[in-house]
C-alpha cells in the first residue's frame, strides 16, 4: 500500500506508530485509518488538550449543515449532541441531530423534551399519557399527568399536597384526602 509509516525503533522494525495513507487519512495507533484523523488507543485516555488560558473546541460546518459530536459504542452511534443545520437548534439525539431528537434547546432559550418546538421556557411532550415527576432528596414526589380530557397533579408519595398563590399556601390536602 502507498502510505507513509512513522515508527520508533530500528529501520525495518514493524513498530509503526502513525501512518498517512494514499487518501491523506492520518492514523495514530492504527495502520488503516478510515477517517481524515483516526486515533486508536487502549485504555481510558485517548486525547488530552491542555492550555494555560481559556479552552475551546469548535465544530465548524458549512451554512445549513449539521455540526455535532457523535458517541459510538463498538462502531454503532448511540448518542449525538450538536447543532441541527436544518432548524438551527441545539439537540441531544439518539442519532444525528434532526433524527431521534430527545432534547431541543432553541435560540430563545426554550427547552423541549420530546418536542423540537417548545413554546415555553420548558416543555415536556409525549404522544402517550405520561407522568412527569418532580422528586426531592427527602422523598417527596409530585407529579403532573396530562390525559386526553383532563390533567391530574398531586403528591405521588405519602405526603400532603399544598396549593399556593402569591407565595402563600391557600389549600392543603392531607394524605387521607381531607382539605
Amino acid at each position: 500500500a502507498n502510505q507513509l509509516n512513522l515508527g520508533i525503533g530500528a529501520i525495518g522494525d514493524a513498530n509503526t506508530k502513525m501512518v498517512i495513507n494514499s487518501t491523506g487519512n492520518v492514523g495514530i495507533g492504527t495502520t488503516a485509518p478510515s477517517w481524515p484523523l483516526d486515533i486508536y488507543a487502549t485504555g481510558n485516555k485517548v486525547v488530552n488538550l491542555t492550555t494555560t488560558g481559556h479552552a475551546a473546541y469548535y465544530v465548524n460546518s458549512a451554512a445549513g449543515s449539521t455540526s455535532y459530536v457523535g458517541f459510538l459504542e463498538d462502531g454503532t452511534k448511540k448518542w449525538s449532541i450538536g447543532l441541527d443545520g436544518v432548524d438551527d437548534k441545539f439537540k441531544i439525539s439518539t442519532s444525528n441531530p434532526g433524527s431521534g431528537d430527545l432534547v431541543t434547546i432553541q435560540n430563545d432559550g426554550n427547552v423541549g423534551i420530546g418536542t423540537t418546538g417548545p413554546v415555553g421556557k420548558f416543555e415536556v411532550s409525549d404522544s402517550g399519557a405520561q407522568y412527569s415527576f418532580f422528586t426531592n432528596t427527602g422523598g417527596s414526589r409530585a407529579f403532573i399527568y396530562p390525559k386526553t380530557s383532563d390533567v391530574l397533579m398531586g403528591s405521588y408519595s405519602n405526603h400532603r399536597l399544598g396549593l399556593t398563590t402569591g407565595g402563600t399556601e391557600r389549600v392543603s390536602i392531607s394524605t387521607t384526602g381531607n382539605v
Side-chain angles (χ1 to χ4, degrees):
N2 292 328
Q3 65 183 28
L4 172 64
N5 294 323
L6 301 173
I8 298 173
I11 295 175
D13 282 354
N15 198 3
T16 301
K17 299 296 181 189
M18 184 174 93
V19 302
I20 303 173
N21 69 17
S22 61
T23 62
N25 291 350
V26 175
I28 299 174
T30 178
T31 57
S34 302
W35 302 71
L37 177 59
D38 201 342
I39 301 173
Y40 177 82
T42 57
N44 296 326
K45 297 179 181 180
V46 176
V47 176
N48 181 29
L49 305 173
T50 304
T51 180
T52 58
H54 297 288
Y57 175 78
Y58 293 96
V59 178
N60 189 9
S61 64
S65 297
T66 298
S67 298
Y68 67 93
V69 176
F71 299 90
L72 288 73
E73 181 179 68
D74 199 26
T76 301
K77 187 179 298 173
K78 298 291 186 172
W79 292 90
S80 69
I81 177 175
L83 175 67
D84 185 344
V86 175
D87 60 12
D88 203 30
K89 297 175 184 177
F90 185 81
K91 297 180 178 177
I92 298 173
S93 308
T94 56
S95 184
N96 297 339
S99 175
D101 301 330
L102 300 175
V103 177
T104 299
I105 304 173
Q106 298 181 155
N107 288 331
D108 61 5
N110 290 356
V111 176
I113 297 176
T115 178
T116 58
V119 294
K121 286 297 174 193
F122 182 66
E123 181 179 344
V124 178
S125 179
D126 193 294
S127 60
Q130 297 291 322
Y131 285 92
S132 294
F133 288 99
F134 304 89
T135 306
N136 76 10
T137 57
S140 295
R141 179 181 277 182
F143 72 90
I144 299 174
Y145 180 40
K147 297 170 65 177
T148 304
S149 59
D150 56 2
V151 175
L152 301 176
M153 61 181 230
S155 172
Y156 198 76
S157 53
N158 192 25
H159 295 85
R160 70 173 189 86
L161 174 66
L163 301 176
T164 65
T165 61
T168 303
E169 186 172 302
R170 306 294 181 181
V171 176
S172 177
I173 304 171
S174 73
T175 58
T176 60
N178 292 333
V179 178

